[in-house]
Amino acid sequence: MNEWILKQENDDILLEDVFLAYYNCRKNKRNKIECLEFDLDYEVILIKIWEEINKGDYKVSPLSVFIVEKPVKREIFAAVFKDRVVHHLIVMKLENILEKEFIYDSYSCRKGKGTHFGIRRIEKFIRKCSKNYKEDCYLLKLDIASYFMSINKVILLNKLEKFINDKYIGSDKMSLINLIKKIISNNPTDNCKIKSLFNKWSDLPKSKSLFYAKENCGLPIGNYTNQVFANFYLNEFDHFIKSELKTKYYGRYVDDFILISNNKDELIEATTNIRFFLKRHLEIDLHPKKIYLQNINHGAEFLGSYIKPWRKYITPRIKNNFNLLIFDINEMLYKGKFGNTEKNKIRASLNSYLGVLGHVNSFHLRKSAISKLDDKFHYYFECNFDFNVVKLRK
């Protein structure tokens, strides 16, 4: 390895950064087959990746594409492990300067934030604006039409390159920019490996598939970098909302965003200004069927929760998916297919839902769902008295 380090130039990405990205990438994935295969010769592979990046020879490998049904039907493109290491490298390089650039109330893909944080902030905004539900206030909820499929890669690259040139101070700036260009410019549909049956795409709208995206448009859902880039793409819009529209109560998670005000007419005017800004500066559109303007006493649906005065509920979609999971687990118990892989998958799936439900008024729902599980379930698992954590029995 020392022989390779001696060849490093001052403007190269450091080999130690590639290794650190690898360690971050493999967290919680040590038992995945692809990770295990990579681990067999990881030092040699990482050195090769490092050399390819700095020579400009790095190429994105073909992606795998498949359809997932829950929580909603969507098309997922998955990168090979080697490329996922590179994605972590890019995010690791940009994370700190992006954090300084983002407004406080964008919640996606940021440490210490996320869906539950976003729900709490919107709940706090509603209470502040309405003075604890004593005054009228209104909520405007908007959504961008086919967001990931509509992102213009030329606009994104131009904004990222300018941002990195202005804010990034590392000597490897040009290597980083060139690497990002290769990741974003890559067409994910080229030579992709289709992992789902073709009929799975039959009822997926073309607007939700990269196979039908406009030229130079669309980022694959599933890549770590694209989650961050999608957040960055709307950063200018966030600042427009706060600085130009002067909206005090505003929050966004990916392409879902909420504005709250005592003035209903102000929110109606904001809708027009938002539509114009998005089209002119980012070449994206509001979803015409997902524009909601209502008094906060009627409730607010955001990130899987339904916020009502002094209480929160889970949305029907998540409740139905949770009940379907209970049904699927009982099917597995009936068939007797219970190795360690199945046990860990069931535990993780249940705890994922129970974790979400634990943030809303749902004790009776959690208790009822666990009680519907077959008696065999309790032979393998145990649940605490609050019905919010499932553990494997020892």
Side-chain angles (χ1 to χ4, degrees), residues 42-94:
Y42 76 95
E43 288 186 336
V44 172
I45 301 172
L46 291 175
I47 290 171
K48 185 179 179 183
I49 292 172
W50 170 71
E51 184 190 30
E52 288 175 348
I53 290 172
N54 289 321
K55 285 184 176 181
D57 295 335
Y58 172 78
K59 293 181 181 179
V60 179
S61 300
L63 287 79
S64 297
V65 58
F66 52 92
I67 297 292
V68 296
E69 304 284 349
K70 299 175 185 177
V72 294
K73 191 164 191 174
R74 60 179 56 181
E75 176 187 83
I76 302 293
F77 281 82
V80 299
F81 192 83
K82 170 182 76 74
D83 290 334
R84 293 205 295 271
V85 171
V86 175
H87 297 166
H88 276 265
L89 174 67
I90 291 170
V91 174
M92 185 178 74
K93 292 281 184 181
L94 297 180

Side-chain angles (χ1 to χ4, degrees), residues 40 45 73 89 190 226 244 297 389 394:
L40 293 174
I45 301 172
K73 191 164 191 174
L89 174 67
D190 285 347
N226 292 341
E244 299 296 325
N297 288 320
V389 176
K394 295 182 180 179

Side-chain angles (χ1 to χ4, degrees), residues 163-339:
F163 173 73
I164 294 170
N165 278 322
D166 290 345
K167 304 291 185 180
Y168 189 79
I169 59 174
S171 60
D172 56 0
K173 180 184 294 185
M174 289 312 301
S175 294
L176 179 60
I177 289 173
N178 290 333
L179 184 59
I180 289 171
K181 285 181 178 179
K182 289 195 174 186
I183 296 293
I184 294 178
S185 299
N186 177 66
N187 185 346
T189 63
D190 285 347
N191 301 314
C192 63
K193 302 173 183 177
I194 298 175
K195 298 291 188 178
S196 293
L197 296 174
F198 287 108
N199 61 11
K200 291 288 186 179
W201 273 265
S202 60
D203 58 346
L204 184 74
K206 290 183 178 181
S207 62
K208 300 289 186 183
S209 173
L210 282 175
F211 291 103
Y212 299 97
K214 294 179 183 177
E215 186 177 2
N216 291 321
C217 287
L219 297 180
I221 298 173
N223 282 5
Y224 184 33
T225 46
N226 292 341
Q227 297 171 40
V228 177
F229 293 158
N231 205 12
F232 173 79
Y233 197 70
L234 286 174
N235 178 61
E236 182 184 358
F237 168 70
D238 292 335
H239 287 281
F240 166 76
I241 294 287
K242 300 298 290 184
S243 301
E244 299 296 325
L245 298 188
K246 307 292 184 183
T247 303
K248 185 176 182 181
Y249 302 116
Y250 165 76
R252 177 179 64 81
Y253 187 94
V254 194
D255 61 334
D256 290 331
F257 46 98
I258 282 180
L259 294 81
I260 300 165
S261 173
N262 298 110
N263 190 328
K264 186 176 182 180
D265 291 334
E266 180 183 287
L267 294 177
I268 293 172
E269 185 180 355
T271 306
T272 301
N273 292 328
I274 286 169
R275 182 182 284 109
F276 179 78
F277 180 92
L278 292 174
K279 189 66 177 177
R280 180 179 180 181
H281 295 277
L282 300 175
E283 296 187 6
I284 51 180
D285 298 300
L286 289 178
H287 197 301
K289 296 182 179 179
K290 294 185 178 180
I291 299 175
Y292 305 101
L293 176 59
Q294 59 193 39
N295 191 292
I296 52 90
N297 288 320
H298 295 155
E301 185 180 331
F302 189 54
L303 303 180
S305 290
Y306 202 73
I307 304 169
K308 296 278 284 184
W310 308 110
R311 60 201 186 277
K312 297 192 296 288
Y313 299 106
I314 207 71
T315 58
R317 176 173 60 81
I318 291 181
K319 181 179 179 180
N320 290 338
N321 285 340
F322 184 46
N323 287 328
L324 286 173
L325 174 65
I326 298 300
F327 177 82
D328 290 342
I329 290 172
N330 281 334
E331 283 282 293
M332 291 178 69
L333 288 164
Y334 176 77
K335 293 176 181 178
K337 295 180 179 179
F338 252 68

Side-chain angles (χ1 to χ4, degrees), residues 82-134:
K82 170 182 76 74
D83 290 334
R84 293 205 295 271
V85 171
V86 175
H87 297 166
H88 276 265
L89 174 67
I90 291 170
V91 174
M92 185 178 74
K93 292 281 184 181
L94 297 180
E95 192 170 37
N96 288 337
I97 57 172
L98 283 172
E99 187 61 31
K100 295 175 184 177
E101 183 72 10
F102 292 150
I103 66 167
Y104 187 79
D105 283 291
S106 69
Y107 313 123
S108 174
C109 297
R110 297 175 68 186
K111 290 179 180 177
K113 300 197 175 180
T115 56
H116 301 313
F117 181 89
I119 292 166
R120 290 196 300 270
R121 287 287 290 178
I122 296 302
E123 185 179 30
K124 182 179 179 180
F125 289 162
I126 291 172
R127 292 181 62 176
K128 276 190 171 184
C129 187
S130 65
K131 293 183 171 52
N132 282 329
Y133 300 100
K134 293 176 184 176

